[in-house]
Amino acid sequence: MMEIKFNVLNRLNNDIQSMIEAKTLEVIRKGHFVMGPEVEAFEKEFADYVGTQYCVGLANGLDALWIGIKMLGIGEGDDVLVQSNTYIATVMGITMNKANPIFVEPNIFHNFDDTALEAYVTPRTKAILVTHLYGQATKMDNLQAFCKDKGLYLIEDCAQSHGAHFNDQMTGSIGDLGCFSFYPSKNLGCFGDGGAIVTNNHSLAQLIRTYRNYGSHKRYHNDVIGTNSRLDEMQAAILRIKLNHLNSYTMERKALAERYLNGISNPLIELPKVDLNCEHVWHLFVIKTKYRDRLMEYLEENNIQALIHYPIPPHLQKGYSELGHTLGDFPIAEQLSQEVLSLPLYAGMTIEEIDYVISIVNSFEV
Ligand SMILES: *Cc1c(COP(=O)(O)O)cnc(C)c1O
């Protein structure tokens, strides 16, 4: 029997593997580890890739959200609209700034629902934070117009959507700022933690650049009290190599997803839907079924590892009990948490492996 892991992070092709090994050795021998030429070059290349003027490398994706929101001046007493089914880190980016997350239920594509937003907006509302969840770009046109009309910031959590476009604009370049994670399992991942903010706003980029380095613009001169959230040279060097291959990784993911979409025909299972003009880069391939736990068990019996993204929505997390929400407050997110299941899908996965998963999924019965 085959064994299918949810993700295999070291299945890079040999060329890339040897380029990365040579490059990391070069960085080690050069002896410049923090705030050096690799980070500077990566920032420029990643900004070019996303289509923004600026990119600031950071220590991780959560810091990108936290610092991005903070540098927009959002804090205590302010509200930020956020989708109810997102990953907890999205919400933490808001609450770390002492702002209030106002949950909005997702649409059928698992993304931010842009209908009926009026009801959520009060004088406290400062921003809308969208997550391009599972790798599918959110429909941004109405949200952009709405934010412009109401004077709200539009913030993108792109931790799962590297390279995904809405129409012809890449996610991260559409709102006021885009927050990225380069955690190893993301579509563009380094060999440790990493993150970045992209933006077209020069003064915002400057603020972030200063804040990530103790608030110091010039060595030992601290204009503000910042933090230490820097991308290091080793990670930047690895990211530069992998960025050159991101489009081919995305094509691989799309081909694998297409094979799932065409191959899975079990009536007990609902396949993911893709919205018009919202590119999906398949960070995760998320199916839905009323028999989720039984299916997961059945896959396990057949040596296939599936995961749930996410089993508890943020508003029901114990750590967020202070927000005062209870079961029933966000029924769509709650139902999703009972029904979603992510099947293995990663760059480097073989057709044989995908076909094995398809055949097992199709033979599942209750
Ligand atoms: C991974 C992730 C983050 C956090 O990124 P880290 O680098 O792990 O801090 C934030 N939001 C979403 C949607 C994520 O998937």
Side-chain angles (χ1 to χ4, degrees):
M1 198 180 351
M2 270 186 156
E3 192 194 356
I4 317 278
K5 293 259 179 53
F6 186 72
N7 202 347
V8 183
L9 295 175
N10 58 0
R11 213 185 267 182
L12 294 170
N13 78 40
N14 289 333
D15 292 355
I16 296 172
Q17 183 75 24
S18 51
M19 273 193 278
I20 288 175
E21 286 173 5
K23 189 74 200 184
T24 47
L25 194 61
E26 187 191 310
V27 171
I28 290 169
R29 289 186 173 159
K30 204 153 119 205
H32 194 155
F33 300 116
V34 175
M35 304 277 267
E38 296 293 338
V39 170
E40 215 170 284
F42 172 70
E43 286 175 341
K44 190 172 177 317
E45 289 159 9
F46 196 63
D48 284 349
Y49 181 80
V50 175
T52 56
Q53 288 184 54
Y54 310 101
C55 167
V56 184
L58 298 168
N60 56 66
L62 175 60
D63 279 6
L65 289 156
W66 164 56
I67 295 171
I69 291 169
K70 184 183 282 294
M71 294 301 103
L72 288 172
I74 296 168
E76 202 162 358
D78 295 333
D79 287 354
V80 177
L81 309 192
V82 63
Q83 72 209 60
S84 54
N85 62 328
T86 189
Y87 181 49
I88 192 91
T90 317
V91 183
M92 284 184 185
I94 300 168
T95 57
M96 283 171 78
N97 285 304
K98 300 192 163 58
N100 313 309
I102 304 295
F103 294 108
V104 177
E105 294 268 55
N107 59 21
I108 58 164
F109 308 102
H110 304 305
N111 272 336
F112 198 97
D113 192 347
D114 63 8
T115 54
L117 278 178
E118 283 292 338
Y120 296 90
V121 177
T122 73
R124 288 188 306 275
T125 314
K126 293 293 176 318
I128 294 180
L129 171 51
V130 301
T131 305
H132 305 290
L133 200 65
Y134 307 146
Q136 180 174 185
T138 303
K139 187 178 180 306
M140 296 296 278
D141 47 359
N142 293 343
L143 287 171
Q144 258 183 312
F146 186 82
C147 285
K148 193 160 180 228
D149 180 49
K150 302 284 177 195
L152 307 178
Y153 290 115
L154 182 56
I155 306 168
E156 299 176 73
D157 181 343
C158 308
Q160 304 186 354
S161 71
H162 312 72
H165 294 76
F166 169 65
N167 287 330
D168 57 355
Q169 276 185 296
M170 197 177 280
T171 53
S173 71
I174 305 166
D176 292 282
L177 58 84
C179 302
F180 283 87
S181 164
F182 306 118
Y183 184 77
S185 63
K186 307 293 185 181
N187 286 29
L188 177 63
C190 53
F191 289 6
D193 277 304
I197 291 175
V198 296
T199 182
N200 285 315
N201 182 327
H202 176 76
S203 56
L204 187 62
Q206 281 302 113
L207 281 173
I208 297 161
R209 207 171 279 289
T210 302
Y211 196 83
R212 73 166 170 189
N213 190 32
Y214 304 116
S216 166
H217 184 56
K218 189 174 151 198
R219 190 179 279 193
Y220 307 132
H221 293 251
N222 296 75
D223 311 331
V224 292
I225 299 307
T227 189
N228 173 357
S229 179
R230 300 175 299 223
L231 182 67
D232 64 70
E233 285 285 288
M234 194 81 86
Q235 302 308 336
I238 292 164
L239 286 167
R240 288 183 68 198
I241 294 169
K242 289 181 90 181
L243 180 59
N244 284 329
H245 301 271
L246 179 55
N247 287 346
S248 74
Y249 292 146
T250 301
M251 271 157 56
E252 239 183 291
R253 286 178 181 272
K254 284 184 178 182
L256 296 169
E258 201 59 35
R259 206 158 174 97
Y260 271 148
L261 290 170
N262 292 326
I264 297 173
S265 56
N266 189 328
L268 300 174
I269 284 157
E270 194 183 311
L271 290 165
K273 296 179 188 66
V274 182
D275 201 356
L276 197 67
N277 302 325
C278 297
E279 190 184 7
H280 203 321
V281 295
W282 303 102
H283 173 61
L284 296 169
F285 189 93
V286 180
I287 59 170
K288 277 199 316 182
T289 171
K290 300 246 177 289
Y291 311 98
R292 194 265 315 276
D293 294 345
R294 281 159 81 175
L295 174 61
M296 198 170 170
E297 210 171 287
Y298 178 73
L299 292 174
E300 254 162 46
E301 284 162 17
N302 287 282
N303 270 324
I304 296 167
Q305 187 189 15
L307 294 176
I308 302 167
H309 298 93
Y310 299 95
I312 304 172
H315 73 279
L316 295 180
Q317 292 287 355
K318 211 168 141 196
Y320 273 139
S321 57
E322 65 188 41
L323 294 176
H325 292 299
T326 54
L327 191 68
D329 281 0
F330 302 100
I332 297 176
E334 289 162 13
Q335 191 176 349
L336 285 172
S337 73
Q338 301 298 310
E339 295 186 354
V340 292
L341 188 67
S342 309
L343 298 180
L345 191 160
Y346 56 89
M349 193 176 179
T350 65
I351 295 291
E352 291 70 34
E353 288 171 324
I354 283 278
D355 286 349
Y356 175 70
V357 179
I358 291 171
S359 71
I360 297 299
V361 168
N362 282 342
S363 67
F364 171 69
E365 28 187 51
V366 289

